[in-house]
Amino acid sequence: MKNKLVSGLALTCTLGTFSAFATNGYFTHGYGMTHKGMAGAGVALSEELMSGANNPASFTVNGTEMSLGLELFSPDRKYTASSVDTFYPNALYLEAKTQKSDNTLFAIPEFAIGHQLNDKINIGLLVYGNGGMNTDYSANSEPEGTFYAGTTGVDLKQLFISPTINYKLNEQTKVGVSPIYVVQQFKATGLGNFAPFSQSPENLTNNGTDTSTGLGVQVGITQTVGTSFSWGASYRSSVSMEEFDSYKGLFAEDGGFDLPTSIQIGAAYKITPNNQLVFDWQKINYSEVKSIANPISNLMSAPLGATTGAGFGWEDMDI
């Protein structure tokens, strides 16, 4: 049990920086450059075409429009290992130091096109993603016998393709819906020392990039009240993704990595003609996904890849 616990802590060091890959867990803080500039707020506002990715009801088009965006994302990923006084046989250890990930800059594009069918209906297509979820640790300076060898890290990319339509119920209220097609890719390297803890050691690490797809839906509403106040809400369903078969010995539920449900509610108040106050609350239900929510301590009771196999121990997130 001690060996499994120490090894589990080492695995947490390897994959634990996953929690720092993006700002809201592994989701970005809003879509569209305007909303990123407001820390992801603006579910009640129609600021640009990409507003529809935050709330389909906010997708507003004048005639026919198109937009392109590019985010440069530079996360700082590192781990720090403290010195160990007691060593257990066959356990895995890290050198007592701070190690930084080599990958520090990622380009994440987005694209939107829309057309105004009439004074009530807008249609379009939104394409956006989550990226920068890549760690790359070199073991060149690690002493022989530590928990990883060669280059170790994980890489997760997610692409969302979302046809969108919204409808103006009246001058105050709009509703919208977006089917979502998700493509995600994952790879892991350098985790071979954890093979004894996996239900499928051959599907644990160094299997290249695996791809999975899934379908979901997002719905939303916006409403103006008077000339100064507006509110909006958006709900994204869970997305049941195909399993990462090449990594069914790592993620719980035989390689399962679904997307959790989320809800975002916000309001905007125009203080002056040129200034407004915006407030949003978002909840992402990470506890719905076992490979994300299962505690790392499960490594002592179930193999990696099992339904109750170790995960990242995440709870639901309020933003």
Side-chain angles (χ1 to χ4, degrees), residues 59-196:
F59 185 71
T60 301
V61 188
N62 292 317
T64 300
E65 295 182 89
M66 181 178 70
S67 72
L68 295 170
L70 182 68
E71 174 188 8
L72 295 178
F73 180 44
S74 183
D76 181 20
R77 283 77 55 84
K78 62 186 177 181
Y79 69 80
T80 299
S82 58
S83 59
V84 179
D85 296 326
T86 303
F87 292 85
Y88 297 102
N90 302 318
L92 309 174
Y93 296 90
L94 288 166
E95 185 180 4
K97 65 175 185 178
T98 296
Q99 182 87 347
K100 296 190 69 174
S101 172
D102 292 336
N103 294 332
T104 58
L105 184 64
F106 305 89
I108 307 173
E110 62 184 33
F111 167 78
I113 186 170
H115 177 69
Q116 184 180 21
L117 284 180
N118 52 50
D119 61 351
K120 291 184 177 294
I121 301 175
N122 297 303
I123 60 172
L125 178 68
L126 308 175
V127 180
Y128 51 96
N130 291 324
M133 294 172 272
N134 175 304
T135 51
D136 190 4
Y137 295 105
S138 172
N140 294 336
S141 60
E142 290 286 345
E144 185 176 355
T146 50
F147 82 97
Y148 62 76
T151 298
T152 297
V154 294
D155 186 8
L156 176 67
K157 302 183 183 76
Q158 294 175 330
L159 176 69
F160 299 79
I161 302 172
S162 183
T164 300
I165 182 171
N166 68 10
Y167 181 77
K168 182 188 291 187
L169 295 177
N170 51 51
E171 289 303 316
Q172 291 76 40
T173 307
K174 291 182 180 179
V175 293
V177 61
S178 297
I180 302 174
Y181 178 67
V182 183
V183 181
Q184 63 180 5
Q185 293 184 324
F186 176 81
K187 71 175 180 179
T189 57
L191 302 179
N193 281 326
F194 293 97

Side-chain angles (χ1 to χ4, degrees), residues 16-305:
T17 50
F18 195 85
S19 62
F21 286 161
T23 51
N24 298 343
Y26 63 81
F27 286 100
T28 186
H29 63 293
Y31 299 99
M33 298 302 137
T34 306
H35 297 280
K36 291 180 184 295
M38 298 191 293
V43 73
L45 300 175
S46 178
E47 296 290 304
E48 56 173 291
L49 290 182
M50 284 304 299
S51 296
N54 303 297
N55 183 354
S58 297
F59 185 71
T60 301
V61 188
N62 292 317
T64 300
E65 295 182 89
M66 181 178 70
S67 72
L68 295 170
L70 182 68
E71 174 188 8
L72 295 178
F73 180 44
S74 183
D76 181 20
R77 283 77 55 84
K78 62 186 177 181
Y79 69 80
T80 299
S82 58
S83 59
V84 179
D85 296 326
T86 303
F87 292 85
Y88 297 102
N90 302 318
L92 309 174
Y93 296 90
L94 288 166
E95 185 180 4
K97 65 175 185 178
T98 296
Q99 182 87 347
K100 296 190 69 174
S101 172
D102 292 336
N103 294 332
T104 58
L105 184 64
F106 305 89
I108 307 173
E110 62 184 33
F111 167 78
I113 186 170
H115 177 69
Q116 184 180 21
L117 284 180
N118 52 50
D119 61 351
K120 291 184 177 294
I121 301 175
N122 297 303
I123 60 172
L125 178 68
L126 308 175
V127 180
Y128 51 96
N130 291 324
M133 294 172 272
N134 175 304
T135 51
D136 190 4
Y137 295 105
S138 172
N140 294 336
S141 60
E142 290 286 345
E144 185 176 355
T146 50
F147 82 97
Y148 62 76
T151 298
T152 297
V154 294
D155 186 8
L156 176 67
K157 302 183 183 76
Q158 294 175 330
L159 176 69
F160 299 79
I161 302 172
S162 183
T164 300
I165 182 171
N166 68 10
Y167 181 77
K168 182 188 291 187
L169 295 177
N170 51 51
E171 289 303 316
Q172 291 76 40
T173 307
K174 291 182 180 179
V175 293
V177 61
S178 297
I180 302 174
Y181 178 67
V182 183
V183 181
Q184 63 180 5
Q185 293 184 324
F186 176 81
K187 71 175 180 179
T189 57
L191 302 179
N193 281 326
F194 293 97
F197 304 98
S198 173
Q199 68 172 8
S200 181
E202 67 277 11
N203 295 297
L204 171 69
T205 186
N206 295 74
N207 287 330
T209 299
D210 197 0
T211 301
S212 73
T213 60
L215 290 172
V217 67
Q218 185 174 3
V219 296
I221 183 172
T222 61
Q223 187 174 58
T224 58
V225 181
T227 59
S228 301
F229 182 80
S230 63
W231 70 273
S234 179
Y235 171 80
R236 189 188 62 233
S237 71
S238 61
V239 181
S240 180
M241 303 294 296
E242 297 171 331
E243 284 76 17
F244 284 125
D245 292 330
S246 296
Y247 294 96
K248 62 183 180 181
L250 175 61
F251 289 130
E253 298 187 296
D254 296 316
F257 204 91
D258 294 340
L259 272 64
T261 61
S262 69
I263 185 171
Q264 188 165 343
I265 300 172
Y269 181 74
K270 188 170 289 188
I271 303 172
T272 72
N274 297 318
N275 297 276
Q276 59 187 346
L277 179 66
V278 182
F279 175 81
D280 279 32
W281 167 80
Q282 183 182 26
K283 185 178 183 65
I284 304 176
N285 297 309
Y286 286 115
S287 64
E288 297 173 348
V289 184
K290 293 185 182 299
S291 56
I292 295 294
N294 285 356
I296 189 67
S297 59
N298 284 13
L299 194 68
M300 295 187 292
S301 58
L304 290 169

